Amino acid sequence: SSFVKVGVHRATSIKVAEMAKIIENAQRDVNIAFMNEISMICKQLNIQTNDVLEAAGTKWNFLKFHPGLVGGHCIGVDPYYLISRANEYGIDSTLIRSARKINEDMVNFVSINILKELVNIEKRLQDIKVCILGITFKENVPDTRNSKAIQIIKELQTYKINVDIIDPYCEKLKIEGLNKINTETNSVTYDSVIILTPHDIFKSSNYKIFINKAKIIIDLSGKISSKSKFTL
């Protein structure tokens, strides 16, 4: 309370405080999982998820969550503590466990849909040059812990696809198994630019010029490019 100016809520016990923190993250995990499942359904129905959410959001009590990759050190981890503790008391946390599975499986869903777009390039997969924008677990932070973007990159590399990476937030970090991080946006033209983490800096004119030179643009969030071939 000496430095948190907005005020402090005093929980009735440390157990209550810890449980509250755990369910905050588990609740968000469940809500994002629902959006991810809706995104998968919309993909099969050939409907743009963002259009659906925009329409649904006009209802006053609609909860505005969006599909996306769930990583990091909180939301992608804390639900497992709750699941484990519940199991000790014979409770099967079906909903929380299902949400975790959906969000973990998004790596496979995204990777498959990226590959479906890349095969439209008239080259062998191993000859395709791909540039990934953003590898942190969420936008505008340098944290790569439990990053699903990194998992997707490694999945693409199993197909011998040439992958370069640009992420101004972690250009000095060394991540085992990944190609060197490339920060030169004007010197190379790529067959595909894939925006996995939508840092605000990618909206700048320099990056837009770079992105638009690619034959195929994939922007998972739809926040950076309107020309994306695949968006969650």
Side-chain angles (χ1 to χ4, degrees):
S1 60
S2 65
F3 60 87
V4 179
K5 302 304 179 185
V6 293
V8 174
H9 174 79
R10 293 186 178 273
T12 55
S13 69
I14 189 65
K15 282 188 175 182
V16 169
E18 290 292 342
M19 186 64 165
K21 177 59 177 173
I22 291 291
I23 72 162
E24 286 172 11
N25 289 325
Q27 181 190 64
R28 185 161 177 78
D29 197 38
V30 169
N31 282 319
I32 295 173
F34 176 61
M35 291 294 103
N36 280 334
E37 194 162 69
I38 294 302
S39 176
M40 288 186 274
I41 295 170
C42 286
K43 176 70 174 174
Q44 292 302 315
L45 298 176
N46 197 28
I47 303 172
Q48 288 296 320
T49 310
N50 284 339
D51 292 343
V52 173
L53 297 181
E54 182 181 359
T58 61
K59 190 169 187 285
W60 68 271
N61 60 349
F62 182 77
L63 301 178
K64 294 185 179 181
F65 287 85
H66 293 86
L69 303 174
V70 180
H73 53 88
C74 290
I75 298 176
V77 176
D78 283 2
Y80 289 120
Y81 297 139
L82 189 55
I83 292 167
S84 176
R85 190 63 166 165
N87 281 344
E88 293 177 13
Y89 291 88
I91 300 170
D92 184 11
S93 305
T94 307
L95 177 62
I96 302 169
R97 190 188 303 277
S98 296
R100 275 283 72 231
K101 184 177 188 307
I102 290 169
N103 288 337
E104 288 294 324
D105 287 349
M106 287 304 287
V107 170
N108 186 53
F109 176 71
V110 170
S111 298
I112 288 173
N113 279 281
I114 288 175
L115 287 168
K116 285 181 179 178
E117 297 300 333
L118 294 182
V119 296
N120 291 323
I121 299 173
E122 296 180 353
K123 291 184 179 180
R124 299 183 305 168
L125 283 178
Q126 56 266 41
D127 294 330
I128 293 174
K129 294 179 65 175
V130 171
C131 183
I132 301 291
L133 297 187
I135 60 172
T136 58
F137 85 87
K138 68 176 182 178
E139 59 264 38
N140 306 323
V141 301
D143 199 337
T144 59
R145 283 178 290 181
N146 194 28
S147 170
K148 295 297 179 282
I150 293 175
Q151 292 182 28
I152 290 169
I153 293 168
K154 291 187 174 181
E155 181 67 22
L156 295 179
Q157 288 179 327
T158 64
Y159 292 88
K160 309 299 182 183
I161 296 172
N162 298 301
V163 179
D164 283 342
I165 300 161
I166 295 176
D167 195 320
Y169 280 89
C170 58
E171 59 183 338
K172 295 181 180 179
L173 294 183
K174 294 182 179 179
I175 302 173
E176 185 178 356
L178 298 188
N179 289 355
K180 66 178 181 177
I181 295 172
N182 175 17
T183 57
E184 295 295 329
T185 60
N186 296 317
S187 59
V188 184
T189 298
Y190 289 88
D191 295 304
S192 178
V193 170
I194 302 172
I195 306 159
L196 296 182
T197 309
H199 297 312
D200 287 344
I201 193 173
F202 295 150
K203 298 175 184 177
S204 68
S205 58
N206 284 345
Y207 276 106
K208 283 187 176 179
I209 293 170
F210 168 71
I211 292 168
N212 288 332
K213 289 193 297 182
K215 296 175 183 176
I216 289 181
I217 301 168
I218 296 173
D219 177 11
L220 287 191
S221 70
K223 294 178 180 179
I224 307 298
S225 176
S226 60
K227 299 179 181 179
S228 179
K229 294 292 187 180
F230 168 63
T231 302
L232 288 177

